[in-house]
Amino acid sequence: DQQVKQNSPSLSVQEGRISILNCDYTNSMFDYFLWYKKYPAEGPTFLISISSIKDKNEDGRFTVFLNKSAKHLSLHIVPSQPGDSAVYFCAAVQGAQKLVFGQGTRLTINP
Amino acid sequence: DAGITQSPRHKVTETGTPVTLRCHQTENHRYMYWYRQDPGHGLRLIHYSYGVKDTDKGEVSDGYSVSRSKTEDFLLTLESATSSQTSVYFCATASEASYEQYFGPGTRLTVT
């Protein structure tokens, strides 16, 4: 039973445009979410997070939106740059200091 | 960067042999985790530790055991490796102050 789902395995976006990565969850008890970025042959690195008491969190080119009623969050990257090409994972905090991850979305930024 | 190293980085082993993967951290983080990454599954938690000698099972713990005798080291053991355990294994750590987890570079394990 996948509690956190990223239904798009891949996404291709032109450089300079907006990239939107989506994530859905099923457990209404989740109250904190994180996005990670992963390059090939490296470990995931933390990108941005959001608490359920907010509906938006922004950090430079990255913005995460949370829609609690829809159990949906999205990561917006604008403008997209070639270095943003990576696999992106969303994750939800479950219990004490445990994360449940989605399957990941491979983002490719085309010149 | 939480100063996390994993060893070995690559390993090829035969079915039925025991394998131990090591994770070492220099940040004195209380929590440590072992994940496996497989296509279509993302990152799945195998085992985690919330202190020295305190460990618990994750989502995919069958066939794996762990030990943590020191704060800085967390070992993952495959008692008898199977081909289904071919994967990339990541160690992660977290402090009590944040939900953010810091990941090591990964170990690519191939079981033939």
Side-chain angles (χ1 to χ4, degrees):
Chain A
D1 182 25
Q2 191 86 23
Q3 298 188 76
V4 178
K5 300 179 184 179
Q6 295 175 257
N7 292 316
S8 297
S10 63
L11 177 67
S12 184
V13 175
Q14 193 169 3
E15 183 179 357
R17 306 296 291 268
I18 183 170
S19 296
I20 301 176
L21 296 97
N22 295 303
C23 179
D24 297 297
Y25 61 96
T26 58
N27 190 337
S28 58
M29 298 298 289
F30 289 154
D31 60 5
Y32 198 90
F33 303 88
L34 305 91
W35 283 93
Y36 280 81
K37 177 178 181 179
K38 184 184 179 306
Y39 291 122
E42 295 183 10
T45 55
F46 170 74
L47 194 55
I48 192 169
S49 62
I50 188 166
S51 165
S52 62
I53 62 173
K54 296 183 176 181
D55 54 17
K56 175 183 175 181
N57 188 27
E58 192 171 353
D59 183 2
R61 296 186 298 113
F62 302 92
T63 302
V64 56
F65 295 91
L66 176 62
N67 182 333
K68 290 190 295 282
S69 61
K71 296 192 185 68
H72 177 82
L73 62 156
S74 60
L75 174 68
H76 292 212
I77 306 172
V78 55
S80 300
Q81 299 174 354
D84 296 329
S85 294
V87 176
Y88 290 79
F89 293 99
C90 67
V93 175
Q94 180 180 53
Q97 303 292 107
K98 288 198 299 180
L99 299 180
V100 179
F101 285 87
Q103 307 96 309
T105 296
R106 181 179 303 277
L107 175 65
T108 302
I109 306 301
N110 301 306
Chain B
D1 185 1
I4 304 168
T5 57
Q6 294 185 228
S7 59
R9 294 293 313 279
H10 301 271
K11 185 170 184 66
V12 180
T13 191
E14 293 184 349
T15 298
T17 59
V19 176
T20 295
L21 308 183
R22 180 180 184 246
C23 177
H24 179 80
Q25 58 135 335
T26 59
E27 295 298 309
N28 201 35
H29 283 170
R30 175 182 174 184
Y31 298 92
M32 296 187 76
Y33 310 82
W34 278 107
Y35 292 91
R36 58 179 291 174
Q37 184 195 3
D38 304 289
H41 291 279
L43 293 157
R44 293 182 292 174
L45 182 65
I46 304 171
H47 281 280
Y48 64 102
S49 169
Y50 43 95
V52 173
K53 298 192 189 304
D54 291 323
T55 65
D56 205 348
K57 296 178 179 180
E59 179 188 359
V60 289
S61 60
D62 287 349
Y64 302 94
S65 62
V66 290
S67 66
R68 191 170 179 200
S69 59
K70 298 186 290 185
T71 298
E72 57 266 34
D73 291 325
F74 193 32
L75 303 180
L76 177 71
T77 297
L78 291 65
E79 302 290 347
S80 177
T82 67
S83 59
S84 64
Q85 293 175 312
T86 292
S87 186
V88 180
Y89 291 85
F90 289 100
C91 172
T93 73
S95 73
E96 293 166 281
S98 169
Y99 291 127
E100 181 182 340
Q101 293 183 11
Y102 300 88
F103 283 81
T107 294
R108 181 173 295 276
L109 176 67
T110 302
V111 183
T112 60

